[in-house]
């Protein structure tokens, strides 16, 4: 099963680089060009310079910058191998929550071996970019976020015990998320943590592109006889799948530029599969869906402007079983499967390729953005969804299947820049 081990991370030397809260940033794929410049304006050593390089030769620039920062001790490698315990504390659904896991090196395995399991489809363009960056820098600047099953919470209990003292690093970001890092160097404790994972499978929560890129990079090194000492491993954050602090946000669907769009006809056609009812107040959408979510109903809100909205509640799953007999029960029962199959594909003609290329479909995790996109005319309509359950993610992955892109949004994202994984050592 999963093979994990400690490593000597590259970390910012704050005596030379500046304050740690000025050096880290969110994942590169949620940062705009304007935000990138803001980070660099605050501190020229922000990790975004390495993680999202720009210019005529961005990857070469990232490589040169990394070397310069190591030579000038902006970045320093830890003296001892360590396991890095990482905690995020945040607010979601009006409650203060937190979750904790460990950052380690994980041996790369093909998905077919069933050790590391994906749950979402990926886009080739993103993988090409990450591959070019890895080739140039030989480094992981951000960690892949993965889950593991541990019904007795043995690993989490151990991590809690090892992180009772003052954290080595602590900061609060602009989204009021507090990040804490403890560096564990005791060899016996490290060995125990690594041994705990020997019978575990890992389920990728966030970072599918980076994992597939790491596999490609490992193969590239082997094929070209490139000696990277740790190319068989990738940096991961591992979190208990049943951690009470885990939060998954829904990702809402926005339909745009669809020819012959007819909302009234679409809702009338939905009556074959859904109980369809018109509601008066869009401010009630989220609570209505939440109630149905708790009842394990497959339900969506359809909004195409004005004050009213339409509630769609699936009558039963029989039609999905008939349309997708080759899929597992786990995949058949997903909200996104129901929406995509019965509405977006069957009624609107937006097929999987169209979705992947985002021709007539875009996504947002923000309810207000979804509603305002319709009000402003950017979108013709929006489908508001409930979040995917963590257990559903596990079951789909265990069945060897993948959800459509943008099926899950784990919140909050892991911050980039606390630890880095140099693959040359």
């Amino acid at each position: 099963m999963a093979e994990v081990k400690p490593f000597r991370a590259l970390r910012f030397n704050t005596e030379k680089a500046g304050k740690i809260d000025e050096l880290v940033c969110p994942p590169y794929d949620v940062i705009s060009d304007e935000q990138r410049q803001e980070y660099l304006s605050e501190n020229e050593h922000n990790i975004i310079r390495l993680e999202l390089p720009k210019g005529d030769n961005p990857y070469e620039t990232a490589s040169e910058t990394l070397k310069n920062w190591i030579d000038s001790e902006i970045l320093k490698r830890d003296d001892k191998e360590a396991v890095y315990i990482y905690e995020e504390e945040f607010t979601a659904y009006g409650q203060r929550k937190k979750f904790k896991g460990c950052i380690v090196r994980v041996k790369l395995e093909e998905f077919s071996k069933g050790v590391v399991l994906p749950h979402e489809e990926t886009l080739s363009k993103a993988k090409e970019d990450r591959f070019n960056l890895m080739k140039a820098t030989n480094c992981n600047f951000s960690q892949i976020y993965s889950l593991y099953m541990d019904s007795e919470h043995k690993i989490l209990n151990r991590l809690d015990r090892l992180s009772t003292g003052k954290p080595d690093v602590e900061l609060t970001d602009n989204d009021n998320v507090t990040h804490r890092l403890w560096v564990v160097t005791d060899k016996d404790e490290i060995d125990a943590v690594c041994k705990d994972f020997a019978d575990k499978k890992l389920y990728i929560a966030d970072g599918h592109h980076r994992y597939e890129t790491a596999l490609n990079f490992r193969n590239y090194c082997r094929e070209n006889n490139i000696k990277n000492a740790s190319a068989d491993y990738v940096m991961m954050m591992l979190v208990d799948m049943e951690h009470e602090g885990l939060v998954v946000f829904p990702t809402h669907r926005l339909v745009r530029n669809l020819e012959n769009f007819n909302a009234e006809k679409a809702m009338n056609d939905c009556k074959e599969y859904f109980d369809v009812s018109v509601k008066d107040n869009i401010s009630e959408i989220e609570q209505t869906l939440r109630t149905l979510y708790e009842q394990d109903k497959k339900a969506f809100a359809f909004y195409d402007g004005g004050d009213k909205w339409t509630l769609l509640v699936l009558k039963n799953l029989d039609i999905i079983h008939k349309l997708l007999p080759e899929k597992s029960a786990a995949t058949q029962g997903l909200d996104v499967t129901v929406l995509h199959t019965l509405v977006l594909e069957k009624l609107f003609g937006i097929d999987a390729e169209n979705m992947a290329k985002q021709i007539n479909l875009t996504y947002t995790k923000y309810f207000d953005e979804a509603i305002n996109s319709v009000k402003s005319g950017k979108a013709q309509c929006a489908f508001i969804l409930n979040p995917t359950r963590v257990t559903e993610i596990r079951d789909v992955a265990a069945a060897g299947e993948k959800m459509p892109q943008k099926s899950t949004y784990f919140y909050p994202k892991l911050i980039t820049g606390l630890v880095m994984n140099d693959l040359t050592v």
Side-chain angles (χ1 to χ4, degrees):
M1 291 298 186
E3 182 181 327
V4 309
K5 67 179 186 179
F7 65 108
R8 293 169 58 207
L10 278 175
R11 293 196 289 139
F12 277 110
N13 174 12
T14 54
E15 291 182 4
K16 291 195 174 184
K19 297 178 181 178
I20 189 62
D21 56 341
E22 297 176 355
L23 301 169
V24 296
C25 70
Y28 75 99
D29 55 355
V30 299
I31 295 177
S32 66
D33 288 342
E34 183 181 10
Q35 289 171 321
R36 179 183 183 277
Q37 193 53 51
E38 288 175 358
Y39 284 117
L40 293 175
S41 296
E42 185 173 27
N43 191 315
E44 64 177 351
H45 299 123
N46 189 283
I47 189 65
I48 197 64
R49 191 181 293 279
L50 298 176
E51 179 75 329
L52 188 60
K54 296 289 186 178
D56 294 334
N57 299 294
Y59 309 113
E60 181 181 334
T61 299
S63 176
E64 293 173 354
T65 301
L66 176 60
K67 184 179 185 304
N68 289 338
W69 285 5
I70 292 173
D71 290 345
S72 61
E73 296 189 338
I74 296 296
L75 293 175
K76 292 182 69 173
R77 187 174 292 109
D78 284 341
D79 294 331
K80 296 180 179 180
E81 288 191 331
V83 165
Y84 300 86
I85 299 176
Y86 176 34
E87 179 180 75
E88 289 189 278
E89 183 175 348
F90 57 99
T91 300
Y93 300 116
Q95 296 180 321
R96 199 67 179 165
K97 297 174 176 287
K98 58 185 176 182
F99 68 86
K100 181 183 293 181
C102 59
I103 301 174
V104 293
R105 277 179 173 170
V106 175
K107 187 173 183 181
L108 290 159
E109 303 282 5
E110 284 77 9
F111 292 143
S112 60
K113 292 187 177 180
V115 177
V116 179
L117 298 166
H119 78 269
E120 276 190 353
E121 297 288 354
T122 55
L123 300 172
S124 57
K125 183 178 181 181
K127 286 183 283 188
E128 181 182 358
D129 167 61
R130 295 296 94 183
F131 180 68
N132 288 332
L133 185 62
M134 281 192 75
K135 278 202 303 181
T137 62
N138 296 296
C139 194
N140 303 142
F141 300 117
S142 57
Q143 54 277 325
I144 294 164
Y145 183 178
S146 294
L147 308 174
Y148 61 87
M149 294 177 62
D150 182 9
S151 59
E152 296 180 357
H153 309 296
K154 178 180 177 181
I155 298 172
L156 180 57
N157 290 337
R158 188 187 303 280
L159 298 181
D160 281 338
R161 177 175 59 79
L162 292 172
S163 56
T164 55
K166 182 181 178 181
D168 293 272
V169 180
E170 183 169 3
L171 68 107
T172 299
D173 64 24
N174 295 333
D175 293 322
N176 196 30
V177 178
T178 297
H179 306 265
R180 302 183 181 97
L181 187 77
W182 292 264
V183 181
V184 178
T185 57
D186 183 278
K187 190 175 185 306
D188 290 339
E189 298 287 9
I190 290 173
D191 288 346
V193 171
C194 294
K195 186 177 180 182
D196 285 343
F197 283 100
D199 64 343
K200 305 299 181 194
K201 293 184 177 184
L202 304 179
Y203 302 81
I204 297 176
D206 195 6
H208 291 80
H209 293 99
R210 282 169 286 160
Y211 189 84
E212 291 185 33
T213 296
L215 280 172
N216 293 336
F217 179 71
R218 180 204 65 183
N219 296 340
Y220 167 81
C221 290
R222 289 177 178 178
E223 292 163 4
N224 292 277
N225 200 30
I226 297 172
K227 302 299 182 184
N228 266 325
S230 299
D232 283 354
Y233 292 81
V234 69
M235 182 169 65
M236 277 195 186
M237 163 73 162
L238 306 180
V239 178
D240 189 325
M241 185 176 287
E242 295 182 359
H243 198 299
E244 62 182 7
L246 281 181
V247 171
V248 182
F249 282 166
T251 305
H252 310 303
R253 272 57 178 158
L254 305 176
V255 176
R256 63 179 183 182
N257 303 329
L258 196 65
E259 293 184 11
N260 303 316
F261 175 75
N262 187 322
E264 185 177 354
K265 181 180 185 303
M267 291 301 98
N268 190 58
D269 290 344
C270 279
K271 291 179 181 178
E272 182 177 354
Y273 311 118
F274 298 89
D275 290 323
V276 179
S277 54
V278 177
K279 305 294 182 180
D280 291 328
N281 194 337
I282 57 176
S283 66
E284 299 174 352
I285 289 178
E286 290 180 294
Q287 184 54 55
T288 301
L289 290 181
R290 188 73 187 177
T291 299
L292 292 165
Y293 177 83
E294 293 168 355
Q295 297 172 6
D296 204 26
K297 300 284 189 181
K298 307 300 173 187
F300 316 99
F302 172 82
Y303 178 69
D304 66 334
D307 296 324
K308 296 182 183 296
W309 60 283
T310 303
L311 176 65
L312 306 176
V313 182
L314 186 69
K315 293 177 180 178
N316 59 66
L317 277 169
D318 289 349
I319 184 62
I320 298 293
H321 300 328
K322 293 176 182 177
L323 292 174
L324 302 173
E326 75 285 0
K327 295 294 185 182
S328 68
T331 295
Q332 290 174 346
L334 293 171
D335 284 18
V336 290
T337 299
V338 173
L339 178 64
H340 284 204
T341 303
L342 293 183
V343 183
L344 297 180
E345 292 185 34
K346 194 173 181 65
L347 301 183
F348 286 171
I350 304 174
D351 60 21
E353 182 179 359
N354 185 312
M355 293 179 196
K357 294 180 179 179
Q358 298 187 25
I359 297 171
N360 296 115
L361 195 69
T362 56
Y363 311 87
T364 178
K365 67 179 184 293
Y366 299 112
F367 171 79
D368 289 342
E369 182 178 335
I371 298 300
N372 290 333
S373 291
V374 177
K375 287 184 175 180
S376 68
K378 291 181 181 179
Q380 292 164 303
C381 66
F383 287 93
I384 309 301
L385 284 73
N386 276 317
T388 303
R389 292 178 170 83
V390 175
T391 52
E392 292 176 320
I393 297 168
R394 174 200 65 200
D395 293 345
V396 169
E401 296 173 346
K402 296 180 183 179
M403 299 179 185
Q405 294 137 359
K406 308 293 184 181
S407 293
T408 58
Y409 188 99
F410 282 85
Y411 181 83
K413 297 285 190 178
L414 307 181
I415 207 160
T416 298
L418 284 183
V419 292
M420 286 150 264
N421 180 30
D422 184 350
L423 298 171
T424 65
V425 296

